[in-house]
Amino acid sequence: MTRPVDPPATAGFEPPPYPYDRLGVLTSRAAERFAADGGVVDCSIGTPCDPPPAPVVEAMATSGTERGYPTSQGSAAYRQAAAGWLERRFGVAVDPDTELAACVGTKEFVASTAQYLRLRTPDRDTVLYPAVSYPTYAMGALLGGCRPVPVPELPDGGPDLASIDPSDIDRALLIWANSPSNPSGALTDLGEVARWGRRHRIPVFSDECYAEFTWDGPPATVLSSGADGVVAVHSLSKRSNLAGVRAGFYAGDPDLVGFLLEIRKHAGLMVPGPVQAAGAAAFSDDSHVDAQRHRYQERLSFLAGVLAGAGVPAPLPAGGFYLWVPVPPVFSEGGTGGAWDLAEALVMEGGLLASPGEFYGPDGADHLRVAVVQPMDRLETVAHRLAGRILVPLPPR
Ligand SMILES: Cc1ncc(COP(=O)(O)O)c(C=O)c1O
């Protein structure tokens, strides 16, 4: 008899469950419950539901760029359109040849940058990021063999830079900022983060993918404080409803942009040519973003009203398209379920699927995130289901 082969040792990194995969059981139960009654209204993931502009899709279909490899940096047309948009929207000038390059959507950039920077600065092993945030900042640190160190929030939701331990500052490879924040919508003073980074000689990476969905004030970029030591990261996924085709860019300090570009060329990271053609068209137009802003504002206030009526009030965010809902005390009393119990009650009673706040770090565990990425008629379906009800924890099954 042949001896069974021992499985490989697994003392190393084990990927944790992907946050949204953890909603699977709840989703199946609710899908069954609402199968004959309009189905589940999925507001758990921030994936756009609205169409991109027709000329943008047309540009993708007719670019004629399918045959050859695209460059990692991005075509001149793509980079010039992105730089033109930065100038129009934020009043900042960047050189599209030396200070800006394409990325394949921004998630891959967020997930890979620590790994690449550490190759250049191996004695720095710490990634600083907002304590309540998009999970990929911490995951990118782990994938790069670094320590993810969360920066606590101030009461206004911005990072408490003064609380960062000096030993973490000494080891910091980079710091992430995200304004408006996913999940809380809080706005950060990006100039202050840039000054902090320059003072400590720590590169600042500013994820600005929701910049045009800012409700309390104008859109902001870290680049307004100059390019020295900072990189702004932008995406077409949210502004132009192009999450399915994967396009973004990074722009700022030519040394950082240039280093990352050289590595990313070797790694084969390229935005497909037809997508770049669409991206150039998208960055050249702002009217579709204005229309999208109105959609999100309408949905945010409608859904906030529906939730308040169901005993779950949520403040309107300063930016972004998420309601960051504090878990009412009735869901935390005498139990540990908290946001998971609220998610269960909301989806089993209203058919509205949302994400428990712990997906965005332990400090978010007392909140639920609701993405307003469903059309009004779907949100109205939720309103009908919840009419006259006050949500309370469901009895144990
Ligand atoms: C804060 C933040 N950054 C980056 C991303 C990634 O976006 P994309 O990879 O589609 O550009 C997301 C997506 O939800 C996000 O919320």
Side-chain angles (χ1 to χ4, degrees), residues 39-217:
V40 172
V41 178
D42 190 347
C43 290
S44 62
I45 300 182
T47 187
C49 68
D50 304 297
V56 169
V57 178
E58 173 74 11
M60 188 155 28
T62 56
S63 73
T65 54
E66 298 81 11
R67 294 188 189 188
Y69 287 107
T71 61
S72 184
Q73 185 179 18
S75 68
Y78 184 81
R79 286 179 284 113
Q80 281 160 9
W85 170 73
L86 285 174
E87 176 109 49
R88 254 186 356 264
R89 255 316 182 208
F90 304 96
V92 297
V94 302
D95 181 339
D97 293 332
T98 59
E99 296 181 322
L100 187 151
C103 56
V104 193
T106 54
K107 189 176 177 88
E108 63 83 0
F109 186 89
V110 173
S112 63
T113 292
Q115 179 196 349
Y116 297 153
L117 283 189
R118 193 157 188 225
L119 295 172
R120 183 158 78 158
T121 320
D123 54 328
R124 297 272 180 147
D125 70 349
T126 294
V127 173
L128 302 169
Y129 65 99
V132 178
S133 60
Y134 180 57
T136 311
Y137 307 124
M139 184 49 65
L142 294 177
L143 296 177
C146 291
R147 299 158 67 226
V149 173
V151 178
E153 279 187 348
L154 291 166
D156 69 1
D160 186 357
L161 298 169
S163 74
I164 303 174
D165 193 292
S167 64
D168 291 328
I169 294 177
D170 289 345
R171 293 169 71 170
L173 179 67
L174 73 144
I175 182 168
W176 281 103
N178 174 219
S179 182
S181 152
N182 171 12
S184 73
L187 305 180
T188 292
D189 180 344
L190 295 171
E192 188 191 340
V193 185
R195 283 190 292 282
W196 183 93
R198 287 177 189 134
R199 189 160 68 249
H200 296 289
R201 306 182 69 76
I202 296 170
V204 173
F205 284 78
S206 178
D207 178 350
E208 300 171 1
C209 67
Y210 299 97
E212 286 169 294
F213 302 123
T214 300
W215 318 123
D216 293 357

Side-chain angles (χ1 to χ4, degrees), residues 336-394:
T336 53
W340 281 96
D341 286 352
L342 175 58
E344 181 186 32
L346 194 55
V347 78
M348 295 310 290
E349 301 281 320
L352 179 69
L353 187 67
S355 295
E358 69 177 44
F359 288 6
Y360 313 97
D363 289 4
D366 55 358
H367 282 72
L368 189 74
R369 194 197 75 171
V370 185
V372 296
V373 291
Q374 294 284 344
M376 279 302 286
D377 63 319
R378 299 295 288 147
L379 302 184
E380 279 158 8
T381 299
V382 172
H384 288 309
R385 291 170 180 164
L386 289 179
R389 285 171 192 254
I390 296 292
L391 292 176
V392 292
L394 300 179

Side-chain angles (χ1 to χ4, degrees), residues 188-261:
T188 292
D189 180 344
L190 295 171
E192 188 191 340
V193 185
R195 283 190 292 282
W196 183 93
R198 287 177 189 134
R199 189 160 68 249
H200 296 289
R201 306 182 69 76
I202 296 170
V204 173
F205 284 78
S206 178
D207 178 350
E208 300 171 1
C209 67
Y210 299 97
E212 286 169 294
F213 302 123
T214 300
W215 318 123
D216 293 357
T221 175
V222 74
L223 298 172
S224 295
S225 67
D228 181 29
V230 306
V231 173
V233 185
H234 281 280
S235 173
L236 283 168
S237 296
K238 319 286 181 180
R239 93 176 279 277
S240 301
N241 298 325
L242 287 170
V245 298
R246 318 304 304 134
F249 71 85
Y250 51 105
D253 190 313
D255 170 61
L256 290 166
V257 169
F259 173 76
L260 290 171
L261 172 59

